[in-house]
Every structure is written in structure tokens, then in C-alpha cells.
């Protein structure tokens, strides 16, 4: 689900925000796929019923850093720090809903503590 949603969100943010300018079709896909992979592993490591807020914050920080720094390696792409923060905010809002659904549906690993 994230492999489709996150590149789509990054592409939409590139179209909406002036401070996010990804010029080639593969740029939002690359950023979104990397975010989906990192997010999957972060959820496996962190997401529990009592850590949803911490996981959301980690997703926000990771998304902002990935969007900003990965865009530096793409020819023609221009993403300001503010644009990366706005894009990360949109991504995090979607992730909050996903995390709540995962926790409510008991799809997170149970802690053995």
C-alpha cells in the first residue's frame, strides 16, 4: 500500500507546493519508494499501541530528511527545507491514519516485555 501511496503523495506535493519541484517522473517515485521501505522497517521496529506518537514523529523527521537530501541528487529537482517539511507533514498525516489502523486491527507485532 505504501509503495503506491507515498510516491503519489510526493508527486502531488510537487505539483501543489512551489517549494517542491521534482521535474522528472522518476523523482517522486524514487523518493516515495525509499520512504516506503524505511517506513516499513521503522514500523516493524517501533510501532506498538503505546508508541504510535513516537513512530509518527520518527516518520515525520525521516520523511523531511529523505525528501530534502535525496532531491539534492536529482538533476533539475529543487526542494527547499520548507518544501521538505510541508511534504513530510502531508506524508505524516497519511501515516497517522495508517498507524492507527494497524494498531486497531492488531497487525503490529506484540511486545514480549
Amino acid at each position: 500500500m505504501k509503495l503506491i501511496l507515498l510516491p503519489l503523495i510526493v508527486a502531488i506535493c510537487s505539483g501543489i507546493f512551489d517549494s517542491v519541484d521534482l521535474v522528472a517522473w522518476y523523482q517522486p517515485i524514487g523518493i516515495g519508494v525509499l520512504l516506503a521501505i524505511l517506513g516499513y522497517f521503522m514500523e516493524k521496529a517501533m510501532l506498538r499501541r503505546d508508541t504510535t506518537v513516537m513512530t509518527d514523529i520518527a516518520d515525520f523527521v525521516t520523511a523531511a530528511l529523505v525528501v530534502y537530501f535525496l532531491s539534492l541528487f536529482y538533476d533539475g529537482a529543487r526542494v527547499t527545507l520548507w518544501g521538505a517539511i510541508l511534504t513530510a507533514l502531508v506524508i505524516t498525516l497519511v501515516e497517522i491514519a495508517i498507524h492507527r489502523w494497524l494498531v486497531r486491527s492488531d497487525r503490529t507485532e506484540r511486545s514480549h516485555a
Side-chain angles (χ1 to χ4, degrees), residues 43-50 102-113:
E43 284 171 5
K44 288 298 245 184
M46 297 175 62
L47 186 61
R48 306 286 181 269
R49 186 170 300 280
D50 58 339
L102 288 171
V103 168
R104 270 187 272 122
S105 65
D106 208 23
R107 294 179 191 258
T108 59
E109 291 182 19
R110 289 193 171 86
S111 175
H112 292 71

Side-chain angles (χ1 to χ4, degrees), residues 18-66:
D18 289 335
S19 54
V20 180
D21 188 20
L22 301 171
V23 294
W25 62 270
Y26 63 87
Q27 293 171 346
I29 293 173
I31 292 171
V33 167
L34 180 60
L35 287 171
I37 292 168
L38 291 173
Y40 171 79
F41 286 112
M42 285 174 31
E43 284 171 5
K44 288 298 245 184
M46 297 175 62
L47 186 61
R48 306 286 181 269
R49 186 170 300 280
D50 58 339
T51 62
T52 54
V53 172
M54 184 174 59
T55 306
D56 296 336
I57 292 168
D59 271 338
F60 173 78
V61 172
T62 301
L65 292 173
V66 167

Side-chain angles (χ1 to χ4, degrees), residues 61-102:
V61 172
T62 301
L65 292 173
V66 167
V67 169
Y68 183 74
F69 286 111
L70 192 56
S71 68
L72 296 175
F73 295 99
Y74 288 137
D75 286 335
R78 185 190 60 81
V79 177
T80 65
L81 184 59
W82 179 244
I85 290 170
L86 288 174
T87 302
L89 182 61
V90 174
I91 290 169
T92 303
L93 291 174
V94 172
E95 288 285 349
I96 287 170
I98 293 171
H99 292 165
R100 299 310 178 268
W101 174 74
L102 288 171

